[in-house]
């Protein structure tokens, strides 16, 4: 009965990494919900997103949690892409902050 109801959460994973879906759900919660409480619109908010994505990417690359190697590769590719996107956002945010401070210095 438990396998029929909850099997979808862990059926794609190795038996040693059955918990990986829970960690992935926590990552999604951090990136979509809890991160809004960290300095709204600040570089620190984006930096936290980069940190969470980097940590998750390293964990996924190290563990290879999925039974299917193509799924592992796709998951790692998506995590790296998300990390790059957030890192570019961080660079843009810092550059924007730098331009703002330069314009206030000239006044």
């Amino acid at each position: 009965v438990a396998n029929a109801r909850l099997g979808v959460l862990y059926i794609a994973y190795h038996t040693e990494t059955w918990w990986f879906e829970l960690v992935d759900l926590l990552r999604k919660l951090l990136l979509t919900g809890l991160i809004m409480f960290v300095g709204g619109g600040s570089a620190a908010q984006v930096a936290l997103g980069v940190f969470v994505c980097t940590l998750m990417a390293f964990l996924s690359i190290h563990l290879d949690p999925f039974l299917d190697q193509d799924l592992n590769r796709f998951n790692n590719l998506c995590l790296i892409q998300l990390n790059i996107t957030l890192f570019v956002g961080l660079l843009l945010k810092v550059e924007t902050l730098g331009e703002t401070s330069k314009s206030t210095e000239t006044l």
Side-chain angles (χ1 to χ4, degrees):
V1 176
N3 196 18
R5 288 187 178 180
L6 300 175
V8 71
L9 292 175
Y10 61 85
I11 198 76
Y13 298 98
H14 292 286
T15 55
E16 307 87 43
T17 55
W18 60 268
W19 47 267
F20 194 79
E21 181 68 23
L22 299 174
V23 174
D24 196 37
L25 289 172
L26 180 62
R27 173 191 61 90
K28 292 173 187 177
L29 176 66
L30 283 170
L31 291 178
T32 59
L34 299 179
I35 201 167
M36 68 182 221
F37 296 112
V38 178
S42 69
Q45 192 176 38
V46 183
L48 180 62
V50 170
F51 175 74
V52 168
C53 286
T54 302
L55 185 66
M56 190 66 179
F58 281 129
L59 185 65
S60 178
I61 291 168
H62 176 71
L63 292 176
D64 273 344
F66 294 101
L67 292 170
D68 184 8
Q69 283 304 311
D70 289 336
L71 196 54
N72 278 320
R73 286 187 206 105
F74 184 68
N75 183 55
N76 292 338
L77 182 66
C78 288
L79 288 170
I80 290 168
Q81 177 272 330
L82 184 60
N83 201 353
I84 290 170
T85 302
L86 284 170
F87 186 70
V88 169
L90 180 62
L91 291 177
L92 292 173
K93 191 70 170 169
V94 169
E95 182 178 303
T96 303
L97 292 174
E99 288 175 3
T100 304
S101 63
K102 286 179 187 176
S103 66
T104 56
E105 287 175 4
T106 58
L107 295 176

